[in-house]
Amino acid sequence: MLTFAAVTGFLGAGKTTTLAALARRWEDQGRRVAIITNDQGTDLVDTQVAGPAATGIGEVTGGCFCCRFDDLLDVMNAVVEQAKPDTVLAEAVGSCTDLQATVVRPMKQLHGDRFRVAPLVTVLDPFRYAEIRRSVALSDSESDLAYLFRQQLVEADVIAVNKSDLLESKEELRNELTKLYPGKPIVFYSARTGEGLDELINQLAGTSDSAIDLDVDYDRYANAEAQLAWLNQSFQLRMPAGFGSADWADAVLRDLSGRAEKGGWTIGHVKVSVTAGDAFSKLSLISADDKPEVDARAARTHSEVAATALVNARVACEPAELDAAVAAAVASADATFSTSANLIRESYAFKPGYPRPIHRMPATAG
């Protein structure tokens, strides 16, 4: 029987890196893994990152899994037919919640004859968590984004704390999470180093039997998503000889970081990838206060090269502001490195619509 495992968690938590690490570990053990990515738009950096780690890859675009449940099934069927995996890892949109009722239980109830449905994993970035906790304490109220973040933890079968290799101490956070979310396994791991990954794999060996009926205020949920402008753009990038594509991506992200800080915008995440043949660079930014993280760095070019660059940005600002900021950041990077980035097709930032799940099954139906 096929295993289906849904993974959720807020933007920038490291879900894609986690799924790629899980896939590589399982593939090394002789298993066959497919990864399904998910986004409100198209041209996904995540699909580029996850694809090489797995036997099969697919993506559901134009909405979250809950609102595109039939699309999820269609993509899974196609990937299963083509790649013949024994495990399907599904990465939900980072601004999505209520997955127990809208994805996990429908998968069990309607398709349990085909899939063993694994526990729902919520990936947690401990630094984002600390930032949100501080903002709530300072304002003495919970923003809609913080509400959404908390709901993802409330509905988790397993809370997976990523980036544990960057933590000075785990025990204080473990104790806090255990107190706030009693009864849930808390797994500390690093998707980058592999530390603790076996414990997460052990948790995924179980079966989801959650009795949680999440009491979601869909108006607050929709408002939280609507605070973020979403932009996916693809560029044809001409790079001169001796150029490092990661430097261009870094310049774009640093420029955007400065504009976000000046505008007081919260960054959900911004990801930039550059692909030229087999050469691949990918950098990401999850806070205006932080520097870009290098996930993959290609070697410098020996001659002039044509590449494809993708920019995926989720920023709490108006769509027109994000359009202008990305255009200015790309132009600035081009001026700095004598590169030339031209949009492959016109695309503009937008805000997600009101979430309208295809199914919403209570725990009693599971």
Side-chain angles (χ1 to χ4, degrees), residues 6-10 15 90 92-93 96-97 99 120-123 152 155:
V7 176
T8 184
F10 198 71
K15 298 186 296 299
V93 173
C96 189
T97 190
L99 288 175
L120 176 64
V121 171
T122 296
V123 176
Q152 291 179 338
E155 74 167 336

Side-chain angles (χ1 to χ4, degrees), residues 2 7 23 46 50 52 61-62 86 115 120-121 130 140 169 227 229 233 240 245 260 274 296 312 317 335 365:
L2 281 166
V7 176
D46 287 349
T61 60
D86 53 61
F115 298 102
L120 176 64
V121 171
D140 199 31
S169 173
Q227 287 181 35
Q233 287 187 331
S245 58
V274 182
N312 294 172
C317 63

Side-chain angles (χ1 to χ4, degrees), residues 40 62-64 66-67 95 218-219 221-226 228 230 350-356:
Q40 302 281 0
C64 52
C66 60
C67 300
S95 61
Y218 263 71
D219 289 337
Y221 175 10
N223 288 338
E225 286 201 299
L228 296 166
W230 296 62
F350 64 92
K351 293 194 174 186
Y354 198 96
R356 301 187 187 281

Side-chain angles (χ1 to χ4, degrees), residues 9-15 94 125 128 162-163 268-269 271 285-286:
F10 198 71
L11 299 159
K15 298 186 296 299
D125 178 342
R128 175 88 72 182
N162 192 14
K163 309 179 184 179
H269 73 231
K271 302 178 183 181
L285 181 72
I286 61 172

Side-chain angles (χ1 to χ4, degrees), residues 40 77 133 143 151 182 193 216 218 224 253 256 261 269 343:
Q40 302 281 0
N77 288 334
R133 294 281 287 170
S143 69
Q151 295 288 16
T193 69
V216 181
Y218 263 71
L253 289 174
L256 282 172
E261 188 169 19
H269 73 231
L343 272 174

Side-chain angles (χ1 to χ4, degrees), residues 110-313:
L110 302 176
H111 305 282
D113 58 330
R114 294 184 59 206
F115 298 102
R116 177 187 70 82
V117 181
L120 176 64
V121 171
T122 296
V123 176
L124 176 67
D125 178 342
F127 305 102
R128 175 88 72 182
Y129 174 80
E131 175 188 331
I132 287 178
R133 294 281 287 170
R134 282 195 300 270
S135 70
V136 171
L138 288 172
S139 65
D140 199 31
S141 64
E142 184 181 56
S143 69
D144 289 335
L145 276 175
Y147 170 81
L148 173 61
F149 188 97
R150 179 170 58 84
Q151 295 288 16
Q152 291 179 338
L153 295 172
V154 170
E155 74 167 336
D157 290 319
V158 178
I159 296 176
V161 183
N162 192 14
K163 309 179 184 179
S164 64
D165 55 316
L166 304 179
L167 290 172
E168 293 182 3
S169 173
K170 304 179 183 70
E171 290 313 304
E172 183 177 349
L173 178 56
R174 184 188 298 276
N175 292 338
E176 181 175 325
L177 291 172
T178 299
K179 181 179 179 180
L180 291 172
Y181 308 102
K184 298 181 187 296
I186 312 293
V187 176
F188 283 79
Y189 75 104
S190 169
R192 291 183 185 277
T193 69
E195 170 195 353
L197 199 63
D198 286 339
E199 185 179 354
L200 180 56
I201 287 173
N202 289 338
Q203 293 294 337
L204 286 168
T207 300
S208 177
D209 58 359
S210 174
I212 297 172
D213 274 324
L214 201 62
D215 183 16
V216 181
D217 183 332
Y218 263 71
D219 289 337
R220 293 196 70 184
Y221 175 10
N223 288 338
E225 286 201 299
Q227 287 181 35
L228 296 166
W230 296 62
L231 178 65
N232 291 357
Q233 287 187 331
S234 56
F235 298 85
Q236 189 71 37
L237 179 64
R238 300 293 305 185
M239 303 187 298
F243 177 73
S245 58
D247 296 333
W248 184 88
D250 181 79
V252 171
L253 289 174
R254 289 181 184 274
D255 189 284
L256 282 172
S257 176
R259 294 175 190 277
E261 188 169 19
K262 183 177 180 180
W265 307 336
T266 297
I267 292 178
H269 73 231
V270 185
K271 302 178 183 181
V272 179
S273 69
V274 182
T275 306
D278 294 332
F280 179 72
S281 291
K282 186 252 180 175
L283 283 78
S284 56
L285 181 72
I286 61 172
S287 173
D289 299 328
D290 208 352
K291 64 181 181 180
E293 295 182 4
V294 180
D295 302 301
R297 181 187 292 273
R300 293 184 177 275
T301 61
H302 296 295
S303 59
E304 183 175 307
V305 172
T308 300
L310 298 183
V311 177
N312 294 172

